[in-house]
Amino acid sequence: MSLVIPQIDLSGLSIEDKKQNEFGALTSNEYRYKTISRQGKPLPDPIEDEPPYHVLFITYLNYLILIIVGHIKDFTGILFNPKNYQDLLEQNGLAPWYNKFESFYIRRMKQKIDDCFARPTCGVPGRLITCIDRDAHDYNSYFSYPGTTSTCLNLSSYNYLGFAQSEGACTQAALEILDYYGVGSGGPRNVIGTTDLHLKTEKTIAKFIGKDDSILFSMGYATNASLFSSLLDKKSLVISDELNHASIRTGVRLSGSTVKTFPHNNMIALEKILREQISQGQPRSHRPWKKIIVAVEGLYSMEGTMANLPALIELRRKYKFNLFVDEAHSIGAIGPSGRGVCDYFGIDPSNVDLLMGTLTKSFGAAGGYIAGSQQIINRLKLNINSQNYAESIPAPVLAQIISSLNIISGDLNPGEGSERLERIAFNSRYLRLGLQRLGFIVYGVDDSPVIPLLLFAPAKMPAFSRMLYQRKIAVVVVGYPATPLTSSRVRLCVSASLTKEDIDYLLRHLSEVGDKLFLKFSSGIAGGSLDGSPPRWNIEDVLKETPKDCKESKYFIATANN
Amino acid sequence: MNVTATTITTSTTTIALQDIWNTTSDVVSRYLFIILNYIELIPGGSILVRYIKSSHKNDPIRTLFEIALFIFAIRYFTTAKYERSKKDHIKLKNSEIDELIDDWMPEPLVLDISPKEQWQLNSIPIVKGPIDTKVNLVGEEGDFLNFASSNFLNFGINPIVKNECKKIIHSNGVGACGPPNFYGNQDIHIKLENDLAKFFEVGGAVLYGQDFCTAGSVLPSFLKRGDFVIADASSNVAIQKALQLSRCEIYWFNHNDLDHLEEILIDLQKNIFKFEKPISRKFIVTEGIFANKGDSPYLPRLIELKKKFKFRLFLDESLSLGVLGKSGKGLAEHYNIKRSEIDVTISSMANSFSSSGAFCIGDKVMTYHQRIGSMAYCFSASLPAYVARATSVALRLLTDSQDSQGESSIVKKLQSNNYQLFNLFNKDRKLSKYLKIISNEISPILHFEINSDLRKLLNFPISYTGKGSEIEYKNKKGISDKFVESFNYENLIFQKIINLSKKQGILITRSIFTIEQEALPLIPNLKIHSNVDFTKDEIEKVYKIVSKVILDVFENLTVESLSLLTEEVI
Ligand SMILES: Cc1ncc(COP(=O)(O)O)c(C=O)c1O
């Protein structure tokens, strides 16, 4: 048995099987749904279901036990068995790489369930994903690899539109461009990294989004991390949603501007901060702020909630701030024509100053972009750090971006783009309503392809992940510190590449696992129930009724009265 | 104890005090133990109880004092922020607030590109087709010898690399569609990490999606408040940003001046480190070949110093891997030093390896920690698999090119090109009247700066950035217009040289930086990049053409003619 992760050869598969594994063929035109634009109407405030008290109690108890046992083990371990704790102790006068306290959570909790994280995979992360099996030893301190694989239904990749493929128009384009342009990047964009293909991609993105121009970067994280220092200084203010992504927080910190955070999606709190900050101005000097940026995400990847764009642009009109929306998860995945939250809410993109997005997700490529007015993009071309110091996006990745964008907008393979859009919309709604009816607590907006299913107790994370892995379903479990302490969850990322039958399979297994792990404790206030009583449908009824019902918003109680 | 000392003064008060002392002592103890009994019922409470009991020691004053301190601390933490902001707060009526909001006029998010800056946008070269040693440019006839790219080993257009990458796109598609910790970690990435660890003989490697953000993610994952960094004062922006994010104590030593470094070390040792308990994490941060200068630190001495003063060494080898050492293993190999002596090495994969992204190599514990604690690793998608494979193949090609002595023929060829390029320009006496080569002969990039005498004549400042510079003032004052006239001129001089060279089929470049982001002293450079695939004749040609252009430009340059440059360059 090897301690090195094996290289897997998947070439034995027939082309047809491979295609089917990457992107399941549509089984019926019934299983499509065209998202309806909200035409400027905001979403109602989401209702978050609370778990029963005993669940919260068990969750806290869970942590308490973990913490106490962890500390006792640390204490006795370092005392009696320092050899095993060398990484935490000073060595040859050097401080440990990380200290005992900082790493407590990781060592004492995360490591216990490390077999559920960072599962090595191979091949395309499409409809199915092939995970490389591993056996954990010594409480996950190391793994060995028997050389086998498990091909699982993929609910974990950000492959929203199913463009993670190694067959089809995008792959063909990428291969052709690779042949001609080579594999990598020539250097920073302003030195020698810009090709005609870069400009073409930027124009294509800008057109798709509905902005003057756009600018590309080789990494989504770095896009945010370097954006804000190019726009702001210490006389500026950023008002940021508390759940904004780490990249935004890094970027804002680097800019040196003042930061205020508002509770997630709370527009009343945001307005209060705006009034306070604009009237008070900068601290001490009380001079007016030079610039104010409100930073939000289009679709929050841990919550499945969306920015309240109609309310935000209303505020923007009133308070004259600049609006930044990170569309990492929403571009492509949301809206009647896949153009993100503006499209979804039926709002003209000119109401948002900076539309940022990543190409790693819906487009199956890599990198990030910022779309904005010509004035902004021209300035960024000269002074954003990534443009002057970081490598540009390699050409084959650009080919993937251009071709996937053209498919979505219908310029390439007409009909394919709308099928993808309608399938992800259907799949998201079907799975969400199905889960609600089964009695799970799920968060987020009806149309969100990210569906967080709440587990609460941290001990249920590994149980859930392992049980589903045995049933050949790959899911992502997340807990503290990525979520609040008490709301550990499974994050299901729906893809257009899944068939309706895949979701049936998924619902069946989730229902069984949910029963075994006592996860069905929704109260019905947040959807799935017709009469307000806790929904506990049986699985056969769910599978029978939901594909039809999920197309009608009245069954999603949370938004029914809208 | 203080109390008893004061009680000695008068006997009557002594008795009274003694009484009060006894009763309070009794009362406090009694209630304390009742409370303690309750606390003990809470899980984990027994630890608390033990602490309180041991601190009480039958000394009620001490207990009261500690309770008071505790209450004060809670009050401080809960109210401090509020009160501070409250003091600064001006009470306004709603109508006044509305008026202020009406009046508030924010600055535009960015300033328009002024006519004086427009040339910068216009002069970005746009390559039509592949980026090779010969390139075509959009809007220009013919092809150009490309002396601007950092793909020193030119692996990006190598047929073997291309074929392997195509295979991967055939099996894995393009994007990885997820961060490494969430199923984005493919066997291809893991293989590259293993290949890197093997090639450099270290415990592990971690991949990053972009070179520029790598330092900014690696360093802050180890350096916290209270830790120490001593960094070279010519470090690149990526490192500057990394340190800004680290919240540690930062000291700068003069560029490549290891005596100065030692001085700082001795000073810190004497005043701080000697008294430390527990010891803090300490790093010396420098580069293999400096992006801003093209020179290198003397590594053996650095290793000696870091060992002596119990520091760790962080080395950015983005421009030296694949370039230095007999098999391309970088500055460490150049000085015959084992890679494992360098605690953290980072490098771009977009230079010698001609792919994209970056990696960090070092020991197992260090690299493992990044998989949990490094932001750009945890919160960003994995590289496209084919990009990872490109570097794997590049490493294999490097290894395969080694002879029995471990000397790589590819690297040797590049090094000889670097020497040739350096020597041709360095020997030219006429050039040295105007330009100074600041890079080393081992550098794959030749850096020129204008001679300091001439710069003085042209009224250029000693530095455009760093302490005392105009840009520092603008940043400090929050002035949005970051245009600096003389900086623009100095760049224009180089751009004119670039444009005139381009007319003769040669593409060279200059240092392109975001001046307002640079916190360390810097002046513009003219840069010529070497490449393994250039022939001796081609290098000869670049020398002949560029040196002639340089002379032409400078011979006619006066302070007065500077203002004409803007029009000439457009
Ligand atoms: C909101 C948000 N912004 C930015 C990013 C970073 O994108 P990338 O993975 O392309 O670096 C992510 C990725 O998870 C994200 O969720």
Side-chain angles (χ1 to χ4, degrees):
Chain A
M1 202 165 273
S2 166
L3 291 183
V4 178
I5 300 178
Q7 299 295 297
I8 305 294
D9 184 9
L10 294 173
S11 58
L13 234 50
S14 77
I15 296 278
E16 273 320 304
D17 284 349
K18 191 171 148 202
K19 276 188 180 164
Q20 189 65 17
N21 287 358
E22 290 169 5
F23 194 87
L26 184 65
T27 48
S28 155
N29 270 325
E30 288 296 299
Y31 307 142
R32 296 166 69 141
Y33 172 78
K34 190 156 174 55
T35 310
I36 302 160
S37 159
R38 294 197 60 84
Q39 298 179 328
K41 262 195 315 189
L43 286 166
D45 283 337
I47 302 169
E48 267 187 15
D49 208 349
E50 296 278 340
Y53 280 117
H54 71 269
V55 174
L56 277 184
F57 177 74
I58 287 172
T59 306
Y60 280 116
L61 198 66
N62 245 250
Y63 279 108
L64 202 68
I65 292 169
L66 279 168
I67 290 171
I68 293 171
V69 171
H71 276 299
I72 293 172
K73 277 194 161 176
D74 266 9
F75 182 75
T76 53
I78 289 174
L79 206 63
F80 299 116
N81 199 0
K83 235 181 40 239
N84 286 355
Y85 289 82
Q86 256 173 0
D87 301 346
L88 300 177
L89 304 172
E90 292 174 6
Q91 276 175 52
N92 314 322
L94 291 175
W97 283 104
Y98 48 89
N99 78 30
K100 193 174 105 200
F101 184 70
E102 282 164 17
S103 62
F104 180 82
Y105 172 79
I106 288 156
R107 288 179 298 113
R108 289 295 168 206
M109 289 178 230
K110 183 177 166 290
Q111 204 194 342
K112 301 273 172 278
I113 58 172
D114 248 0
D115 58 317
C116 305
F117 296 114
R119 287 198 178 111
T121 68
C122 58
V124 174
R127 167 180 163 240
L128 305 184
I129 190 164
T130 305
C131 301
I132 299 171
D133 293 333
R134 53 184 183 182
D135 299 319
H137 300 280
D138 205 2
Y139 298 105
N140 293 332
S141 59
Y142 68 98
F143 293 101
S144 66
Y145 302 88
T148 56
T149 58
S150 303
T151 299
C152 300
L153 197 61
N154 186 2
L155 270 299
S156 56
S157 297
Y158 306 135
N159 176 29
Y160 298 122
L161 289 181
F163 281 112
Q165 283 174 299
S166 64
E167 298 290 337
C170 297
T171 311
Q172 209 47 45
L175 287 169
E176 274 163 25
I177 290 294
L178 190 150
D179 231 353
Y180 179 38
Y181 280 78
V183 299
S185 126
R189 284 291 296 276
N190 288 354
V191 181
I192 186 79
T194 304
T195 67
D196 47 348
L197 216 51
H198 287 87
L199 300 186
K200 186 175 161 198
T201 315
E202 288 173 341
K203 288 291 171 212
T204 313
I205 290 177
K207 192 171 138 229
F208 181 76
I209 289 167
K211 282 281 187 189
D212 296 347
D213 203 354
S214 76
I215 180 170
L216 277 170
F217 306 96
S218 49
M219 184 189 194
Y221 178 94
T223 306
N224 283 335
S226 57
L227 171 68
F228 295 92
S229 22
S230 296
L231 303 171
L232 306 175
D233 55 27
K234 58 177 193 175
K235 292 186 174 174
S236 318
L237 173 71
V238 178
I239 309 179
S240 169
D241 191 292
E242 64 177 348
L243 294 185
N244 275 348
H245 192 251
S247 56
I248 302 177
R249 280 181 275 143
T250 304
V252 169
R253 244 182 75 198
L254 279 171
S255 75
S257 49
T258 307
V259 196
K260 301 274 173 220
T261 50
F262 61 96
H264 178 51
N265 257 350
N266 187 334
M267 293 299 118
I268 296 166
L270 172 62
E271 179 160 16
K272 219 172 128 202
I273 294 177
L274 281 165
R275 289 181 70 81
E276 164 82 9
Q277 289 300 327
I278 296 175
S279 61
Q280 293 291 329
Q282 299 174 41
R284 278 184 226 287
S285 72
H286 292 283
R287 290 210 196 127
W289 292 105
K290 255 170 66 171
K291 303 168 190 173
I292 297 180
I293 287 188
V294 173
V296 296
E297 284 182 35
L299 177 67
Y300 288 82
S301 65
M302 289 293 170
E303 310 294 316
T305 51
M306 280 195 211
N308 191 344
L309 205 56
L312 281 163
I313 59 164
E314 202 47 54
L315 289 175
R316 174 176 174 271
R317 209 166 287 141
K318 198 162 157 197
Y319 295 101
K320 296 171 279 195
F321 58 79
N322 294 112
L323 184 57
F324 166 91
V325 180
D326 179 336
E327 293 229 65
H329 290 268
S330 50
I331 192 68
I334 291 282
S337 53
R339 287 167 164 81
V341 280
C342 290
D343 188 21
Y344 182 77
F345 285 106
I347 282 169
D348 194 307
S350 64
N351 288 301
V352 182
D353 304 273
L354 296 157
L355 278 163
M356 178 270 173
T358 65
L359 305 158
T360 19
K361 305 192 167 101
S362 295
F363 308 107
Y369 68 82
I370 293 161
S373 68
Q374 197 63 56
Q375 185 200 23
I376 293 177
I377 299 302
N378 277 353
R379 178 54 70 184
L380 289 180
K381 278 185 177 173
L382 284 189
N383 81 349
I384 193 165
N385 276 335
S386 317
Q387 194 81 354
N388 289 339
Y389 305 105
E391 84 279 47
S392 61
I393 302 197
V397 180
L398 297 175
Q400 169 86 17
I401 298 166
I402 297 182
S403 48
S404 55
L405 276 169
N406 284 340
I407 288 175
I408 301 171
S409 59
D411 295 339
L412 185 64
N413 294 352
E416 186 183 330
S418 50
E419 182 194 317
R420 288 177 191 254
L421 290 170
E422 289 169 25
R423 282 179 66 179
I424 189 179
F426 172 83
N427 289 350
S428 307
R429 291 174 73 95
Y430 176 32
L431 179 57
R432 175 175 294 271
L433 189 59
L435 290 173
Q436 287 179 345
R437 288 182 163 177
L438 286 171
F440 291 104
I441 296 187
V442 292
Y443 283 172
V445 178
D446 307 345
D447 289 304
S448 153
V450 178
I451 306 178
L453 187 162
L454 274 288
L455 302 176
F456 298 104
K460 288 182 184 174
M461 293 199 308
F464 194 93
S465 176
R466 286 168 197 158
M467 284 169 87
L468 282 180
Y469 189 67
Q470 278 166 4
R471 290 154 193 259
K472 303 274 187 238
I473 299 170
V475 295
V476 166
V477 286
V478 273
Y480 179 81
T483 69
L485 198 63
T486 54
S487 48
S488 307
R489 62 194 67 177
V490 189
R491 185 180 59 178
L492 303 169
C493 290
V494 179
S495 165
S497 63
L498 301 175
T499 63
K500 183 253 176 194
E501 289 68 26
D502 291 337
I503 297 184
D504 292 347
Y505 175 87
L506 175 67
L507 281 169
R508 270 184 203 285
H509 285 288
L510 286 176
S511 176
E512 271 179 46
V513 171
D515 284 332
K516 291 208 167 115
L517 294 180
F518 302 105
L519 291 173
K520 299 177 177 172
F521 33 57
S522 75
S523 68
I525 57 162
S529 163
L530 292 174
D531 52 6
S533 63
R536 296 291 183 272
W537 290 40
N538 85 38
I539 181 73
E540 299 307 331
D541 293 342
V542 168
L543 298 185
K544 196 156 134 257
E545 303 294 331
T546 318
K548 203 159 64 261
D549 293 351
C550 74
K551 296 182 181 177
E552 287 184 56
S553 56
K554 70 173 182 213
Y555 294 106
F556 294 84
I557 300 267
T559 54
N561 33 19
N562 250 268
Chain B
M1 267 154 269
N2 280 341
V3 180
T4 38
T6 52
T7 50
I8 305 169
T9 41
T10 54
S11 53
T12 43
T13 45
T14 315
I15 294 158
L17 274 176
Q18 199 70 49
D19 269 352
I20 297 167
W21 169 255
N22 287 339
T23 39
T24 38
S25 184
D26 262 8
V27 173
V28 171
S29 304
R30 203 170 332 123
Y31 281 105
L32 193 69
F33 283 108
I34 292 169
I35 296 167
L36 289 187
N37 282 339
Y38 281 109
I39 294 178
E40 219 154 16
L41 295 178
I42 311 170
S46 56
I47 299 171
L48 195 67
V49 169
R50 218 180 319 126
Y51 173 77
I52 297 175
K53 276 185 181 163
S54 71
S55 91
H56 177 63
K57 287 199 186 107
N58 289 329
D59 184 345
I61 302 294
R62 185 177 156 165
T63 308
L64 283 176
F65 181 70
E66 291 205 348
I67 288 172
L69 255 182
F70 183 67
I71 292 169
F72 176 76
I74 287 180
R75 248 189 76 85
Y76 178 81
F77 283 115
T78 51
T79 60
K81 222 158 130 199
Y82 176 67
E83 299 225 324
R84 234 179 293 141
S85 64
K86 204 172 172 193
K87 232 180 258 162
D88 200 30
H89 185 95
I90 303 169
K91 249 194 134 42
L92 295 165
K93 283 201 286 258
N94 246 341
S95 59
E96 289 170 322
I97 293 179
D98 285 336
E99 204 170 309
L100 281 166
I101 288 166
D102 249 5
D103 290 347
W104 183 61
M105 217 41 238
E107 271 188 19
L109 209 45
V110 297
L111 298 180
D112 272 325
I113 305 288
S114 71
K116 282 179 170 174
E117 297 169 297
Q118 186 62 39
W119 69 271
Q120 295 180 35
L121 267 184
N122 300 351
S123 61
I124 298 170
I126 301 160
V127 180
K128 203 163 55 188
I131 298 173
D132 195 351
T133 47
K134 281 202 187 75
V135 292
N136 293 309
L137 296 179
V138 172
E140 313 256 358
E141 289 289 311
D143 49 20
F144 298 84
L145 278 178
N146 176 11
F147 283 87
S149 161
S150 300
N151 292 169
F152 308 119
L153 298 177
N154 225 16
F155 283 134
I157 44 100
N158 183 310
I160 301 173
V161 179
K162 275 178 125 162
N163 260 335
E164 287 282 326
C165 288
K166 272 162 64 182
K167 274 192 220 155
I168 298 298
I169 294 185
H170 261 311
S171 64
N172 289 49
V174 177
C177 282
N181 287 335
F182 296 154
Y183 301 85
N185 209 7
Q186 302 175 334
D187 52 349
I188 317 284
H189 300 102
I190 296 158
K191 177 167 186 335
L192 173 56
E193 288 175 351
N194 293 341
D195 287 348
L196 285 165
K198 193 162 150 232
F199 187 77
F200 292 104
E201 296 167 54
V202 287
V206 187
L207 304 182
Y208 285 87
Q210 187 193 63
D211 49 13
F212 182 72
C213 73
T214 306
S217 187
V218 174
L219 278 171
S221 67
F222 298 112
L223 289 167
K224 310 281 169 195
R225 200 161 264 141
D227 293 338
F228 288 84
V229 159
I230 311 183
D232 189 287
S234 283
S235 300
N236 60 46
V237 201
I239 289 176
Q240 296 171 30
K241 296 279 164 197
L243 298 182
Q244 188 188 338
L245 285 173
S246 295
R247 295 185 161 136
C248 56
E249 297 252 356
I250 305 163
Y251 296 83
W252 301 99
F253 65 95
N254 297 338
H255 177 53
N256 274 344
D257 181 350
L258 301 188
D259 292 330
H260 186 214
L261 171 64
E262 184 164 17
E263 256 171 56
I264 299 175
L265 284 166
I266 291 172
D267 203 46
L268 287 172
Q269 174 71 23
K270 211 166 63 198
N271 295 319
I272 301 177
F273 301 153
K274 226 169 69 189
F275 309 105
E276 263 188 347
K277 193 85 190 135
I279 47 184
S280 56
R281 274 161 294 207
K282 310 179 187 80
F283 281 82
I284 297 170
V285 172
T286 185
E287 292 175 54
I289 288 181
F290 279 84
N292 290 335
K293 303 253 178 198
D295 53 359
S296 305
Y298 182 57
L299 193 61
R301 176 98 191 274
L302 270 175
I303 302 278
E304 185 195 313
L305 287 175
K306 75 136 200 167
K307 281 188 177 157
K308 182 167 164 205
F309 291 93
K310 308 289 181 202
F311 267 61
R312 288 189 169 104
L313 181 60
F314 174 97
L315 196 62
D316 181 348
E317 288 235 45
S318 289
L319 292 169
S320 42
L321 293 187
V323 174
L324 300 185
K326 61 179 182 181
S327 63
K329 294 191 181 118
L331 191 67
E333 192 182 38
H334 181 79
Y335 285 112
N336 259 326
I337 286 168
K338 277 213 244 72
R339 176 61 56 185
S340 50
E341 298 270 354
I342 297 157
D343 305 86
V344 188
T345 307
I346 62 163
S347 167
S348 168
M349 297 199 280
N351 296 337
S352 292
F353 303 112
S354 303
S355 65
S356 161
F359 58 80
C360 172
I361 48 179
D363 80 31
K364 240 193 178 121
V365 182
M366 189 271 301
T367 46
Y368 176 73
H369 181 65
Q370 287 179 46
R371 298 187 197 281
I372 316 148
S374 181
M375 304 276 262
Y377 181 83
C378 298
F379 295 106
S380 178
S382 298
L383 283 167
Y386 95 83
V387 165
R389 177 50 53 91
T391 309
S392 273
V393 182
L395 289 176
R396 197 183 78 210
L397 293 176
L398 270 178
T399 312
D400 289 350
S401 71
Q402 285 175 21
D403 62 14
S404 53
Q405 258 73 55
E407 209 169 281
S408 156
S409 54
I410 306 176
V411 178
K412 202 167 156 192
K413 172 94 192 304
L414 173 68
Q415 289 171 346
S416 104
N417 281 358
N418 299 349
Y419 283 120
Q420 192 197 353
L421 189 65
F422 178 87
N423 283 328
L424 282 172
F425 280 95
N426 196 39
K427 274 201 302 242
D428 192 327
R429 289 269 151 253
K430 277 182 286 180
L431 282 182
S432 58
K433 224 168 100 191
Y434 307 111
L435 292 181
K436 186 169 74 187
I437 298 180
I438 56 167
S439 53
N440 282 351
E441 54 191 2
I442 54 170
S443 163
I445 304 175
L446 204 54
H447 290 247
F448 299 92
E449 61 182 39
I450 302 178
N451 266 338
S452 45
D453 296 345
L454 181 56
R455 292 189 76 248
K456 219 181 279 166
L457 270 178
L458 294 169
N459 293 329
F460 294 155
I462 292 173
S463 165
Y464 289 104
T465 48
K467 281 224 167 55
S469 62
E470 187 177 339
I471 203 74
E472 193 206 24
Y473 176 81
K474 286 188 168 185
N475 281 343
K476 209 184 261 167
K477 290 276 170 198
I479 298 169
S480 296
D481 185 2
K482 300 290 184 344
F483 183 79
V484 175
E485 188 93 49
S486 49
F487 179 67
N488 197 45
Y489 286 146
E490 194 162 350
N491 278 320
L492 274 167
I493 297 175
F494 288 145
Q495 190 61 43
K496 188 173 168 188
I497 295 173
I498 293 167
N499 288 1
L500 291 175
S501 305
K502 203 164 78 182
K503 284 220 172 78
Q504 304 185 56
I506 301 282
L507 197 63
I508 56 172
T509 186
R510 59 187 172 88
S511 56
I512 294 177
F513 41 72
T514 329
I515 176 175
E516 63 267 32
Q517 304 287 340
E518 299 268 3
L520 300 170
L522 216 52
I523 57 173
N525 290 175
L526 185 70
K527 302 206 292 186
I528 304 179
H529 294 233
S530 175
N531 193 299
V532 69
D533 282 345
F534 284 131
T535 61
K536 299 275 167 223
D537 288 348
E538 284 166 335
I539 294 175
E540 196 79 46
K541 187 172 168 198
V542 73
Y543 162 67
K544 279 207 186 107
I545 291 174
V546 174
S547 58
K548 173 105 191 354
V549 168
I550 292 175
L551 292 179
D552 283 351
V553 168
F554 277 100
E555 270 160 13
N556 300 315
L557 191 74
T558 59
V559 181
E560 292 74 34
S561 67
L562 282 178
S563 56
L564 302 176
L565 280 171
T566 319
E567 269 170 39
E568 286 176 50
V569 165
I570 286 176

